[in-house]
């Protein structure tokens, strides 16, 4: 059981606001880890630090034993960490096909895409059940589809670790079920380690082998879904938030 | 959705390809035969139109495909023109050395300016390029010892003859500019359609996502900016040795602005839109010289009409007539 990611004493301040406060955790190779916590707990900020969008105020992040904190996002992506954004981001003017192809080009640039690379796009579109939208312009699709396209494009970069920030928010129950199946497949068949941030408890409970709970930037609990669901600190944090 | 799919499929079908080939063939034949029947004046205008077409096309690489709005393409054109003229006049290099070297100088110069500059976001970079362009004009104007300033730089020689072609003749230099203009367009065409072109477009569409999927966005932005600039520099060199007289007033902010407007009218991010748009606009503006006081009024009105009808410019209008996308 080797660790793919090791986060040590991670901290991020914005002016006076402490968004992440000395968080430490390890992620096992091949696992499905969930990160939960009330709004503003520092989940997205943590993702932004792991993927290089933000520099940590202090602390280190190691990916496969190599320090990644402080590197540019494209370098981290090239090392094998993929991500999707909480607020969907897309190359709106491209067709779905070109969108995914761009992900392949970003990691394996060719003057003209090879036949293998074209096949790879088709394979990914099929996996994500996007083949019917192949030639549609991305900006004309629903947010739900765009999120799926973002995921498919991240897959095209052949990540070893994927950070998914509220991928399921705003999806219908049917879409959530489909996406859950897809995530399992990505994890089990492609061997990609997943870290997911979700507000939908059903998703977290069903999908994740381990859960980390953040509150005001601090890690307040860690354990299996059962352990976390029964943890007093967690219940208090959530009830305190809602009351 | 199905409908949309069918439409896209149709657009890529054979008749479209054949039509494009026919259009390109006709344009090429006209350009090739032009010196055989046209007056000297028309040939001069055509040369100017070709130069502006390539300027707008190379501008499109930076702004249309990669995204950053810039207002200094005319300055790169000017640096190329003066660099080439001075390399031949003062340093004694033949044109055939000065021409590529001036392109390389402008490429490197743009990289040095673009590397820190492109870290600025959106409007800030645009404003910076505007002042940068004006700054270059002032340098050309005031470095009297080097550029002869407002008196203009005279005595620039035509390209030395090769293969027995004497480039001091109008016809021959027309074909020279046509040749390098086409070369530049073909280069740009393959570049924007290549894998690199896809990465550039991804930066334009969403820089953060582009970076997150592994694109070194700062590198590619500088690359696109410098490549566009380098091509403008090459055009400047051709201009210098064609007209054989340089004056700073050719490279004021108005020139940069014209390139921006031509690219906008043609349709940013379509390559052929800016190229065709620039060609047409140069022709119209030149042919309207008989009425100088109305020239820019009519031109401005036409510009507004085009952009109100279709923000995507001429290519957008063509697309709509064909009933294509959107
Ligand atoms: N770019 C930023 N600038 C300033 N404050 C920020 C920024 N991003 C996040 N924050 C603050 O950091 C805290 C954590 O936010 P975030 O990580 O987005 O929480 P979560 O994703 O868990 O809802 C919040 O208080 C938020 O306002
Ligand atoms: Mg968040």
């Amino acid at each position: 059981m080797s660790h793919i990611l090791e986060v040590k004493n991670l901290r991020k301040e914005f002016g006076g606001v402490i968004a992440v406060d000395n968080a430490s955790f390890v992620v096992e190779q091949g696992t499905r880890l969930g990160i939960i916590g009330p709004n503003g707990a520092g989940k997205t900020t943590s993702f932004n630090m792991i993927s290089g969008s933000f520099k940590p105020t202090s602390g280190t992040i190691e990916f496969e034993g190599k320090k990644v904190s402080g590197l540019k996002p494209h370098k981290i992506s090239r090392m094998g960490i993929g991500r999707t954004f909480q607020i969907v981001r897309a190359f709106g003017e491209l067709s779905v096909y070109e969108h995914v192809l761009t992900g392949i080009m970003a990691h394996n640039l060719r003057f003209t895409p090879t036949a293998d690379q074209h096949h790879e796009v088709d394979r990914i579109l099929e996996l994500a059940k996007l083949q019917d939208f192949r030639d549609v312009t991305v900006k004309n699709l629903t947010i739900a589809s765009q999120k799926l396209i973002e995921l498919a494009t991240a897959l095209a970069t052949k990540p070893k670790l994927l950070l998914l920030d509220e991928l399921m928010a705003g999806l219908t129950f049917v879409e959530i079920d489909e996406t859950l199946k897809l995530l399992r497949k990505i994890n089990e068949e492609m061997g990609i380690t997943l870290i997911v941030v979700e507000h939908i408890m059903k998703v977290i409970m069903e999908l994740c082998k381990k859960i980390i709970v953040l509150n005001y930037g601090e890690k307040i609990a860690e354990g299996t879904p059962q352990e976390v669901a029964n943890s007093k600190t967690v219940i208090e944090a959530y009830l305190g938030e809602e009351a | 959705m199905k409908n949309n799919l069918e439409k896209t499929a149709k657009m890529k079908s054979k008749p479209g390809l054949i039509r494009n080939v026919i259009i390109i063939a006709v344009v090429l034949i006209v350009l090739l035969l032009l010196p055989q029947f046209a007056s000297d004046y028309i040939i001069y205008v055509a040369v100017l139109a070709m130069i502006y077409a390539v300027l707008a096309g190379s501008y499109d690489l930076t702004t249309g495909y990669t995204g950053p709005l810039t207002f200094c393409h005319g300055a790169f054109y000017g640096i190329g023109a003066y660099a080439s003229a001075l390399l031949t006049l003062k340093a004694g290099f033949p044109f055939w050395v000065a021409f590529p070297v001036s392109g390389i100088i402008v490429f490197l110069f743009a990289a040095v300016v673009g590397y820190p500059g492109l870290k600025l976001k959106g409007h800030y970079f645009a404003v910076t390029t505007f002042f940068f362009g004006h700054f270059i004009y002032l340098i050309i104007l005031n470095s009297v010892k080097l550029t002869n300033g407002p008196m203009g730089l005279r005595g620039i020689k035509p390209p030395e003859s090769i293969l027995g072609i004497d480039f001091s003749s109008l016809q021959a230099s027309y074909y020279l500019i046509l040749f390098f203009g086409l070369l530049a367009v073909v280069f740009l065409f393959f570049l924007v359609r290549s894998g690199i072109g896809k990465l550039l477009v991804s930066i334009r569409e969403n820089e953060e996502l582009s970076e997150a999927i592994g694109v070194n966005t700062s590198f590619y932005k500088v690359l696109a900016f410098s490549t566009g600039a380098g091509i403008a520099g090459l055009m400047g060199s051709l201009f210098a040795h064609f007209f054989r007289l340089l004056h700073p007033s050719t490279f004021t902010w108005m020139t940069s602005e014209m390139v921006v407007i031509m690219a906008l009218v043609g349709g940013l991010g379509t390559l052929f839109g800016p190229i065709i748009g620039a060609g047409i606009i140069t022709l119209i503006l030149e042919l309207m010289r008989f009425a100088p006081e109305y020239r820019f009024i009519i031109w401005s009105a036409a510009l507004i009409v085009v952009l109100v009808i279709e923000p995507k410019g001429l290519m957008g209008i063509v697309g709509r007539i064909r009933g294509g996308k959107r």
Side-chain angles (χ1 to χ4, degrees):
Chain A
M1 246 193 260
S2 63
H3 298 150
I4 190 166
L5 192 76
E6 252 187 276
V7 173
K8 279 187 216 145
N9 303 320
L10 195 62
R11 188 179 165 88
K12 180 74 187 176
E13 293 174 27
F14 294 107
V17 181
I18 300 169
V20 176
D21 193 0
N22 278 323
S24 297
F25 57 92
V26 294
V27 184
E28 279 152 28
Q29 168 84 47
T31 193
R32 300 190 291 263
L33 172 72
I35 300 182
I36 60 171
N39 273 328
K43 306 178 295 292
T44 299
T45 304
S46 301
F47 272 10
N48 280 336
M49 286 190 281
I50 298 170
S51 63
S53 303
F54 291 163
K55 275 206 172 89
T57 307
S58 62
T60 56
I61 301 162
E62 282 185 10
F63 175 66
E64 294 186 320
K66 280 172 254 147
K67 188 169 168 250
V68 294
S69 33
L71 295 183
K72 289 257 184 75
H74 72 263
K75 287 240 169 81
I76 295 178
S77 158
R78 291 182 157 274
M79 291 174 77
I81 302 182
R83 75 172 301 186
T84 63
F85 291 85
Q86 180 175 348
I87 297 160
V88 72
R89 274 160 226 246
F91 309 133
E93 293 286 339
L94 301 190
S95 73
V96 174
Y97 190 86
E98 291 168 322
H99 203 287
V100 175
L101 183 60
T102 305
I104 290 178
M105 284 290 115
H107 274 243
N108 192 0
L109 183 61
R110 288 291 141 86
F111 195 77
T112 35
T114 63
D116 275 353
Q117 290 178 319
H118 282 299
H119 288 149
E120 178 71 5
V121 178
D122 281 321
R123 212 182 54 75
I124 293 171
L125 290 181
E126 209 167 299
L127 177 76
K129 299 210 162 69
L130 283 166
Q131 64 273 54
D132 287 349
F133 300 126
R134 198 176 183 278
D135 297 316
V136 182
T137 307
V138 170
K139 67 168 185 203
N140 295 336
L141 289 167
T142 60
I143 296 292
S145 302
Q146 291 190 17
K147 285 189 152 186
L148 212 50
I149 292 162
E150 212 186 321
L151 174 63
T153 308
L155 286 176
T157 69
K158 298 207 165 73
K160 298 172 196 158
L161 169 67
L162 250 181
L163 315 175
L164 306 172
D165 199 353
E166 302 198 24
L167 187 67
M168 313 269 188
L171 302 198
T172 64
F173 286 119
V174 181
E175 287 165 341
I176 289 175
D177 272 348
E178 285 289 317
T179 313
L180 267 175
K181 268 187 223 149
L182 174 62
L183 293 187
R184 280 229 168 74
K185 221 172 178 177
I186 290 171
N187 175 249
E188 284 162 8
E189 290 173 22
M190 301 168 75
I192 299 173
T193 308
L194 298 180
I195 307 182
V196 298
V197 165
E198 281 301 341
H199 278 303
I200 307 160
M201 275 307 145
K202 175 179 126 68
V203 171
I204 287 282
M205 292 292 167
E206 268 187 46
L207 182 70
C208 297
K209 297 181 182 164
K210 202 171 93 176
I211 294 173
I212 287 174
V213 188
L214 292 181
N215 194 27
Y216 293 111
E218 275 183 275
K219 186 177 92 174
I220 58 164
E222 179 170 357
T224 63
Q226 266 60 43
E227 284 164 0
V228 165
N230 299 326
S231 154
K232 258 205 181 116
T233 8
V234 175
I235 294 167
E236 271 167 21
Y238 270 85
L239 289 181
E241 183 74 13
E242 275 164 31
Chain B
M1 205 56 77
K2 269 272 144 57
N3 213 347
N4 212 336
L5 285 179
E6 277 160 22
K7 261 186 201 161
T8 331
K10 255 185 218 146
M11 277 190 52
K12 283 182 184 157
S13 63
K14 281 256 162 62
L17 185 69
I18 291 170
R19 186 196 48 227
N20 288 346
V21 168
I22 291 174
I23 292 174
I24 290 171
V26 169
V27 170
L28 279 184
I29 289 170
V30 170
L31 286 173
L32 280 172
L33 295 182
L34 190 90
Q36 310 306 324
F37 58 80
S39 67
D40 283 5
Y41 171 64
I42 295 288
I43 296 177
Y44 270 112
V45 174
V47 164
L48 215 53
M50 290 192 292
I51 287 177
Y52 267 104
V54 177
L55 284 180
S58 57
Y59 178 78
D60 201 31
L61 178 69
T62 313
T63 301
Y65 282 87
T66 317
L69 181 60
T70 73
F71 293 102
C72 59
H73 215 58
F76 293 133
Y77 175 51
I79 297 172
Y82 272 93
S84 187
L86 293 173
L87 279 171
T88 52
L89 281 178
K90 309 241 158 159
F93 285 106
F95 165 82
W96 298 104
V97 173
F99 173 57
V101 168
S102 56
I104 294 168
I105 288 175
V106 177
F107 177 90
L108 294 176
F109 188 71
V112 169
V113 173
Y115 180 71
L118 283 159
K119 292 197 195 309
L120 298 170
K121 293 280 169 239
H123 303 319
Y124 295 99
F125 181 62
V127 171
T128 308
T129 61
F130 180 86
F131 287 107
F132 166 73
H134 192 58
F135 176 70
I136 294 297
Y137 161 72
L138 290 177
I139 288 185
I140 294 175
L141 184 69
N142 293 311
S143 310
V144 178
K145 275 202 184 125
L146 199 62
T147 65
N148 216 18
M151 283 84 77
L153 197 57
R154 284 163 195 285
I156 303 166
K157 294 191 181 58
E160 301 78 21
S161 50
I162 45 163
L163 305 169
I165 306 167
D166 174 15
F167 290 106
S168 60
S169 90
L170 184 62
Q171 260 92 349
S173 36
Y174 169 91
Y175 283 117
L176 184 75
I177 288 175
L178 175 61
F179 174 75
F180 282 113
L182 286 178
L183 211 60
V185 170
V186 169
F187 170 77
L188 286 168
F189 176 74
F190 282 107
L191 183 61
V192 299
R193 304 194 83 199
S194 73
I196 295 174
K198 292 191 198 315
L199 301 190
L200 299 184
V201 168
S202 79
I203 296 172
R204 175 193 76 197
E205 289 294 302
N206 194 314
E207 194 168 336
E208 213 181 341
L209 179 60
S210 175
E211 179 80 26
I213 61 171
V215 179
N216 187 346
T217 54
S218 17
F219 171 79
Y220 281 105
K221 279 196 292 184
V222 175
L223 182 72
F225 182 64
S226 311
T227 305
I231 293 173
L234 290 174
M235 287 300 119
S237 168
L238 291 174
F239 173 84
H241 296 271
F242 181 83
F243 286 92
R244 294 164 212 164
L245 165 72
L246 288 181
H247 193 271
S249 65
T250 312
F251 309 106
T252 60
W253 62 272
M254 262 300 282
T255 307
S256 295
E257 246 59 16
M258 282 300 284
V259 173
V260 176
I261 290 167
M262 286 165 171
L264 272 176
V265 167
L268 280 175
T270 60
L271 187 60
F272 286 109
I275 288 172
I276 296 163
I280 294 174
I281 289 167
T282 314
L283 282 182
I284 294 173
L285 282 182
E286 277 304 318
L287 300 179
M288 274 164 62
R289 272 203 194 277
F290 66 89
E293 59 280 26
Y294 296 118
R295 205 150 84 102
F296 282 96
I297 298 178
I298 295 175
W299 151 238
S300 308
L303 173 69
I304 293 168
V305 169
V306 169
L307 292 183
V308 165
I309 296 176
E310 174 58 69
K312 291 201 165 75
L314 291 177
M315 287 306 257
I317 294 174
V318 171
R320 264 207 263 174
I321 293 169
R322 281 195 211 154
K325 280 196 266 193
R326 285 181 281 278

